[in-house]
């Protein structure tokens, strides 16, 4: 068998630069499957791997099925892992046509010139074992490779040990000539390619059978030292593989390569769980069928992370939390802050963010230095708190962890969050509690400490916090605006009529509670109704927009005159009808003739700050004291929309399930044109149905948030398409990076950041498979983002001086965006193509 020695390389593992990725939550001790003996040992023979891959290209493609990297070796009769002194891995990398991907390296001396997609290296390996404590504490992964970055505390960096990858060559660190035949002389890993056989062999540099403590390791031998990291070392630190046929081990790879068939960049993290017998052969953990290799331990699935993060990518090539846990162990710490970076603790803290009791920062040299990951950081001078704002309730643990039968991303230990409580996992969020003393502060601010008193281990946690009570505790603390299960009342609008002689607008609707009809109007609060019309764009190519009939003027800044806001009203007449329906007749106090949609000419000022308080506003835009000009022409042939919000009467009152809305044409003709770009069902991938400002349905939000409405603090437009884009791009906005700000309603969004790829518009927000609230109907205009690009939408994110000059220069007598950026453009600058670059 002839092997080609691939080039070698080193990628330093930058522990601590993790952005918010899902996962964590206590470790379970129950296995995910049974073990079975491997069909053979060592490397597979002949072309068996290549034949197996070619037989089922869709299934063996490692881009879509990463763990096939190891499963194919088993199929071919080989063993993916052999634990000699240093381990040996056999793995396959298969393209989309079922063929071997050739030429992968450990170190790419030519960098981007040779491989633009993976300029540093293609392969990185790591290995760990699963430690199962005898005291009922959760099982934890322990890396068999450790790294120390510093020899001593220099005041800003710390001598810590962290789980690490196997060292790889660099331009200055290479193996001696004896490294292949004499592992004891090996400094960095070795990658061999068997192109004919269709697989690779990776030979670890780190011995996992003989103890090498960090104190005995040689600094700079296999990982570079720097002026600030003067004692970089790699050792097993006494963490060895266990050849008892029972202890679970895991190997994982960071693979980065270009698919030869599609030319697409692929980044995946194959993992392989196994036991080791006395012969050193890795025996796969198998599923209940006794055949299929499976993960022994899986608390969270990367698919859950990717619902918010798109394609979660950390450190460049870490894309699966089940790989991350190999290095992010309980005793791993961040060398810049001396903070624990155990995966479940770190990820919980990052997602808890600003709601933590204590600060939590990783990969940040000092509090005066920007960068790193800031879950929560308090400025000791100003008291200003910065950090992450999670887009839904943290108590909704099943967003990330779900082991139930109905779970979309079910995992074997997905229910550990409720069945295996621990001080580590629970204390990550409940960080004000000191379990060693039993004292401390709760998340609610109480100084009652831990009701159960001091706890030195996890033995008794489950006695009070069992699988039944933990979900109740979490759900009880979720507000009704965060927990859709607590909202039971809903409304359905059946028709809207405009009086032919008086211009009155009357809405007919029904109400139900848990599916049962409600005919008593005292059971719910008097609804608020909004009323808007859909106006075609004034310029050729310009998109339509909503205009509100029920606006108001307001300011919250005594130095700024009132601005127009979209709003709703409930001053009209509510009637309970004999047939069980209800009707609401609009007051339309904004009309010259109250209630007449044909005569809307003004909006009232509701300011409470001087000199613009209610009746004293007489400045620009004012008509008579207390009102401002707002003419909304009645156009009965256009599509109109009514939106509705109300609450179920109780102690306290509880919002309705969502906002009802209804499109109609006043002249009685059928609705042929509407504007439905995004649905809250799409938003819920990250926001989980949480109330956003006043609404639960974007279809309701747009009736107020349109391009003629503004923020009463700053005068900034609150047109939904504009401010939502800016809010989500946050700190990455060119205008923010140039020193600007972005505030709405006195909230500074300049520090926000979208958790996924902001350029991937269709990932969550503009998903064309999104459906309208409570229905299976698709959105009519979900494809507008690339079919009808517009000035207002595009300039929201592309707000640099140069970009705005370009946009404004092209919008003259017409919206010419589609000429270059539309779906059918011949310039190659269509929105989809540009955003995918």
């Amino acid at each position: 068998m002839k092997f080609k020695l691939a080039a070698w390389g080193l990628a330093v593992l930058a522990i601590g630069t993790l952005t918010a990725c899902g996962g964590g939550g206590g470790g379970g001790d129950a296995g995910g499957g049974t073990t079975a003996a491997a069909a053979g040992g060592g490397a597979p023979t002949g072309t068996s791997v290549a034949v197996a891959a070619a037989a089922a290209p869709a299934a063996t493609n490692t881009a879509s099925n990463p763990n096939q990297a190891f499963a194919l070796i088993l199929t071919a009769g080989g063993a993916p892992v052999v634990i000699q002194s240093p381990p040996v891995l056999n793995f396959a990398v298969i393209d989309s046509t079922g063929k071997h991907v050739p030429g992968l390296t450990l170190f790419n001396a030519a960098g981007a010139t040779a491989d633009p997609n993976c300029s540093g290296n293609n392969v990185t390996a790591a290995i760990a074992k699963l430690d199962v404590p005898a005291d009922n504490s959760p099982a934890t992964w322990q890396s068999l490779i450790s790294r120390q970055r510093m020899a001593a505390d220099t005041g800003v960096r710390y001598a810590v040990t962290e789980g690490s990858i196997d060292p790889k060559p660099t331009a200055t660190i290479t193996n001696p000539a004896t490294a292949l035949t004499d592992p004891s002389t090996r400094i960095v890993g070795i990658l061999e390619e068997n192109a004919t056989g269709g697989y690779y062999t990776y030979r670890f540099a780190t011995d996992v059978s003989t103890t090498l403590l960090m104190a005995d390791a040689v600094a700079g031998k296999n990982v570079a030292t720097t002026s600030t990291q003067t004692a970089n070392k790699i050792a097993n630190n006494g963490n060895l593989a266990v050849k008892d046929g029972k202890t679970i081990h895991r190997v994982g790879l960071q693979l980065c390569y270009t698919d030869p068939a599609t030319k697409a960049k692929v980044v995946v993290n194959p993992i392989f769980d196994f036991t080791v017998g006395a012969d050193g052969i890795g025996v796969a953990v198998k599923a209940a069928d006794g055949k299929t290799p499976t993960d022994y331990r899986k608390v969270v699935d990367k698919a859950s992370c990717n619902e918010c993060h798109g394609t979660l990518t950390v450190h460049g090539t870490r894309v699966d939390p089940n790989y991350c846990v190999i290095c992010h162990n309980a005793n791993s710490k961040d060398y810049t802050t001396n903070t624990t970076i155990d995966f479940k603790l770190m990820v919980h803290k990052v997602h808890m963010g600003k709601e933590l009791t204590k600060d939590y920062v990783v990969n940040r040299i000092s509090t005066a230095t920007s960068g790193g990951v800031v879950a929560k950081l308090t400025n000791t001078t100003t008291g200003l708190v910065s950090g992450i704002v999670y887009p839904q309730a943290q108590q909704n643990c099943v967003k990330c962890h779900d082991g139930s039968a109905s779970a979309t991303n079910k995992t074997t230990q997905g229910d550990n969050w409720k069945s295996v409580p621990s001080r580590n996992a629970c204390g990550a969020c409940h960080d004000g509690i000191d379990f060693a003393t039993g004292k401390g502060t709760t998340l609610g601010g109480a100084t009652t400490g831990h009701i159960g008193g001091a706890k030195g281990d996890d033995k008794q946690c489950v006695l009070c916090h069992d699988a039944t009570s933990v979900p109740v505790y979490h759900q009880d603390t979720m507000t009704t605006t965060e927990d859709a299960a607590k909202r039971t009342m809903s409304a359905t609008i059946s028709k809207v009529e405009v009086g032919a002689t008086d211009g009155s607008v009357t809405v007919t609707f029904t109400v139900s509670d848990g599916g049962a009809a409600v005919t008593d109007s005292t059971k719910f609060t008097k609804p608020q109704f909004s009323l808007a019309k859909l106006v075609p764009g004034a310029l050729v190519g310009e998109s339509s927009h909503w205009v509100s009939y029920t606006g108001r003027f307001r300011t919250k800044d005594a130095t700024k005159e009132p601005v127009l806001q979209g709003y709703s009203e409930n001053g009209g007449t509510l009637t309970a009808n004999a047939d069980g329906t209800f009707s609401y007749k609009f007051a339309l106090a904004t009309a010259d003739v109250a209630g007449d949609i044909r005569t809307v000419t003004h909006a009232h000022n509701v300011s409470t700050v001087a000199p613009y308080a209610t009746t004293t506003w007489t400045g620009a835009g004012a008509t008579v004291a207390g009102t401002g000009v707002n003419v909304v022409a009645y156009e009965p042939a256009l599509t109109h929309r009514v939106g509705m919000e109300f609450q179920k009467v109780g102690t306290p009152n509880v919002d309705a399930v969502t906002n009802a809305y209804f499109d109609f044409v006043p002249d009685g003709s059928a609705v042929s044109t509407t504007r439905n770009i995004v649905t809250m069902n799409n938003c819920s991938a990250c926001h989980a149905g949480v109330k956003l400002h006043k609404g639960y349905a974007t279809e309701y939000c747009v009736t107020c948030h349109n391009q003629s409405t503004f923020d009463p603090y700053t005068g900034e437009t609150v047109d939904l398409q504009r401010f939502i884009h800016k809010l989500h791009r946050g700190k990455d906005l060119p205008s923010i990076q140039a020193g600007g700000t972005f505030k709405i309603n006195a909230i500074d969004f300049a520090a926000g950041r979208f958790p996924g790829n902001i350029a991937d518009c269709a990932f969550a927000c503009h998903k064309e498979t999104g459906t309208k609230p409570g229905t299976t109907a698709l959105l009519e205009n979900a494809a507008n983002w690339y079919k009808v690009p517009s000035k207002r939408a595009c300039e929201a994110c592309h707000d640099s001086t140069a970009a705005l000059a370009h946009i404004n220069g092209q919008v003259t007598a017409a919206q010419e965006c589609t000429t270059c950026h539309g779906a059918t453009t011949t310039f190659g600058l269509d929105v989809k193509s540009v955003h995918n670059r």
Side-chain angles (χ1 to χ4, degrees):
M1 190 182 305
K2 293 183 179 180
F3 285 88
K4 171 185 175 184
L5 282 180
W8 305 335
L10 175 66
V12 176
L13 180 63
I15 294 288
T17 59
L18 185 72
T19 52
C21 70
D29 304 329
T34 58
T35 58
T45 59
T47 60
S48 52
V49 172
V51 170
T60 59
N61 178 9
T62 45
S64 54
N65 299 292
N67 289 352
Q68 281 293 310
F70 298 115
L72 276 170
I73 303 299
L74 290 171
T75 300
V81 186
V82 179
I83 301 293
Q84 298 169 343
S85 292
V88 176
L89 298 187
N90 296 300
F91 64 94
V93 183
I94 307 301
D95 71 12
S96 53
T97 65
K99 296 179 181 178
H100 168 72
V101 177
L104 303 188
T105 67
L106 293 183
F107 172 61
N108 189 344
T113 302
D115 189 345
N117 283 330
C118 310
S119 59
N121 65 287
N122 303 108
V123 181
T124 303
I127 184 169
K129 67 178 177 181
L130 188 66
D131 287 340
V132 182
D135 65 352
N136 293 330
S137 295
T140 58
W141 290 106
Q142 173 59 59
S143 176
L144 303 188
I145 307 173
S146 296
R147 171 177 175 169
Q148 180 176 285
R149 290 183 186 246
M150 297 297 297
D153 185 350
T154 65
V156 292
R157 297 178 179 87
Y158 300 84
V160 299
T161 300
E162 58 196 23
S164 185
I165 58 172
D166 194 51
K168 296 177 296 183
T170 69
T172 57
I173 300 178
T174 59
N175 275 319
T178 56
L180 185 61
T181 56
D182 184 0
S184 68
T185 66
R186 196 174 300 162
I187 296 173
V188 288
I190 299 174
L191 183 66
E192 301 166 306
E193 179 182 2
N194 188 322
T196 302
Y199 65 93
Y200 289 89
T201 295
Y202 178 79
R203 301 182 186 277
F204 277 76
T206 306
D207 184 344
V208 299
S209 299
T210 304
T211 295
L212 175 61
L213 298 178
M214 196 63 70
D216 299 322
V218 178
K221 176 182 178 181
N222 42 26
V223 58
T225 60
T226 68
S227 60
T228 58
Q229 298 178 31
T230 57
N232 282 344
K233 301 179 180 182
I234 293 288
N236 59 44
N237 219 22
N239 297 304
L240 306 178
V242 183
K243 298 181 179 180
D244 61 357
K246 297 184 297 182
T247 300
I248 303 298
H249 299 72
R250 173 173 290 177
V251 291
L253 294 171
Q254 298 171 47
L255 295 181
C256 179
Y257 61 93
T258 301
D259 187 301
T262 64
K263 307 304 179 185
K265 178 180 179 179
V266 178
V267 178
V268 290
N269 296 150
I271 60 172
F272 178 65
D273 289 355
F274 61 99
T275 59
V276 189
D279 58 1
I281 301 295
V283 179
V285 172
K286 297 292 184 69
D289 62 9
K291 300 177 182 179
T292 308
T294 191
D295 304 320
Y296 179 88
R297 177 177 168 78
K298 195 171 188 179
V299 177
V300 65
D301 192 293
K302 69 177 181 180
S304 294
C305 307
N306 289 342
E307 286 180 349
C308 287
H309 292 284
T311 301
L312 177 68
T313 305
V314 183
H315 304 308
T317 50
R318 283 75 152 180
V319 295
D320 191 330
N322 296 290
Y323 173 84
C324 299
V325 295
I326 295 177
C327 292
H328 283 272
N329 311 142
N331 59 356
S332 290
K333 291 188 175 182
D334 172 38
Y335 87 108
T336 68
T337 60
N338 203 28
T339 299
T340 300
I341 51 174
D342 175 46
F343 195 72
K344 57 183 171 291
L345 180 141
M346 176 177 64
V347 173
H348 280 147
K349 284 187 177 295
V350 167
H351 285 76
M352 193 68 177
K354 292 177 72 171
E355 294 184 41
L356 287 168
T357 301
K358 301 174 182 176
D359 289 354
Y360 183 80
V361 181
V362 295
N363 197 42
R364 191 169 193 173
I365 302 305
S366 71
T367 55
T369 305
S370 61
V373 177
V374 178
K376 180 184 179 182
L377 179 62
T378 305
N379 187 305
T380 55
T381 302
T382 65
L384 182 67
V385 176
S386 58
I388 293 170
V389 177
Y390 191 59
Q392 57 171 284
Q394 287 92 343
Q395 301 97 310
N396 184 28
C397 301
V398 293
K399 173 61 184 174
C400 298
H401 310 285
D402 199 347
S404 63
S406 60
T408 302
N409 302 313
K410 183 177 186 244
T411 58
T412 309
Q413 286 85 22
D415 283 342
N416 274 14
W417 67 275
K418 62 181 179 180
S419 59
V420 190
S422 70
R423 293 163 301 155
N424 186 319
C426 300
C429 290
H430 299 276
D431 65 328
I433 301 298
D434 183 343
F435 289 102
T437 64
K439 298 180 180 180
T441 305
T442 69
L443 286 172
T447 56
T448 51
H450 183 225
I451 295 176
K455 298 296 175 186
D457 55 43
D458 299 324
K459 292 179 182 178
Q460 297 179 321
C461 295
V462 74
L463 298 180
C464 295
H465 308 286
D466 59 25
T468 299
S469 61
V470 170
V472 173
Y473 296 151
H474 282 78
Q475 190 172 30
D476 278 354
T477 58
M478 290 175 65
T479 66
T480 59
T481 57
E482 296 171 329
D483 187 357
K486 295 175 181 175
R487 306 192 301 266
T488 60
M489 193 168 277
S490 60
T492 301
I493 301 172
S494 56
K495 65 179 179 180
V496 180
E497 297 175 300
V498 177
T501 59
D502 62 359
S504 61
V505 181
T506 303
V507 183
T508 300
F509 63 96
T510 56
V511 177
S512 62
D513 189 5
V518 175
T519 57
D520 182 354
S521 62
T522 65
K523 300 297 183 182
F524 56 89
T525 60
K526 190 175 183 181
Q528 291 275 146
F529 286 92
S530 61
L531 177 61
K533 66 175 179 177
L534 185 63
V535 179
L539 302 177
V540 175
E542 186 178 13
S543 57
S544 59
H545 62 278
W546 296 100
V547 175
S548 174
Y549 287 96
T550 51
R552 66 181 187 179
F553 280 98
R554 191 181 195 189
T555 185
K556 293 185 179 181
D557 186 331
T559 67
K560 293 182 173 64
E561 289 196 358
V563 295
L564 186 65
Q565 294 181 302
Y567 204 62
S568 54
E569 62 147 81
N570 74 343
T573 303
L574 179 67
T575 303
N577 303 315
D579 60 359
T581 66
F582 298 92
S583 59
Y584 175 81
K585 187 175 181 180
F586 273 83
L588 285 181
T590 55
D592 276 350
V593 178
D596 189 344
I597 192 175
R598 301 168 301 182
T599 64
V600 173
T601 59
H602 61 278
H604 293 266
N605 175 34
V606 295
S607 301
T608 56
V609 297
Y612 306 112
T614 311
T615 60
T616 59
W617 177 42
T618 57
T623 50
V624 295
T627 65
V629 176
N630 182 39
V631 177
V632 183
Y634 176 55
E635 299 174 274
L638 296 182
T639 298
H640 286 56
R641 176 173 292 178
V642 164
M644 176 180 178
E645 63 173 305
F646 68 101
Q647 294 180 318
K648 177 180 177 178
V649 171
T651 308
N653 292 343
V654 178
D655 284 358
V657 174
T658 188
N659 304 112
Y661 73 96
F662 187 81
D663 287 355
F664 67 101
V665 180
D667 67 9
S669 58
V671 174
S672 59
T673 303
T674 190
R675 181 177 172 83
N676 290 310
I677 308 292
V678 172
T679 176
M680 196 70 83
N681 289 348
N682 290 357
C683 305
S684 291
C686 290
H687 293 284
V690 171
K691 187 175 188 178
L692 303 178
H693 184 40
K694 290 177 68 67
Y696 297 97
T698 52
E699 294 84 355
Y700 174 70
C701 300
V702 295
T703 60
C704 289
H705 286 277
N706 46 66
Q707 60 185 260
S708 57
T709 58
F710 305 89
D711 175 38
Y713 279 101
T714 63
E716 171 80 28
T717 178
V718 289
D719 181 16
L720 199 72
Q721 64 181 315
R722 179 180 165 85
F723 100 80
I724 291 295
H725 280 140
K726 282 189 175 293
L727 183 155
H728 281 79
R729 195 168 189 198
K731 65 192 302 182
D732 293 326
L733 283 168
S735 61
I736 298 300
Q737 295 183 343
T741 61
F742 181 66
K743 294 183 179 180
I744 295 291
N745 204 32
I747 300 172
D748 189 352
F749 294 103
R753 173 175 271 174
F754 189 63
N757 178 7
I758 194 69
D760 187 2
C761 303
F763 150 59
C765 303
H766 296 283
K767 186 165 53 179
E768 292 183 56
T769 55
T771 56
K772 300 176 184 179
T775 75
T776 58
L778 296 175
L779 300 178
E780 292 88 342
N781 313 103
N784 272 24
W785 69 275
Y786 67 90
K787 288 185 176 180
V788 191
S790 70
K791 175 183 184 295
R792 291 187 70 83
C794 298
E795 71 180 6
C797 287
H798 301 282
D799 68 350
S800 67
T801 301
L804 293 176
H806 167 75
I807 293 170
N808 291 325
Q810 300 303 310
V811 180
T812 53
Q815 286 259 12
E816 299 174 1
C817 303
T818 54
T819 303
C820 294
H821 303 294
T824 59
T825 182
T826 58
F827 292 98
L829 297 173
D830 61 283
V831 173
K832 274 189 176 181
S833 297
V834 172
H835 278 223
N836 284 334
R837 291 177 183 171

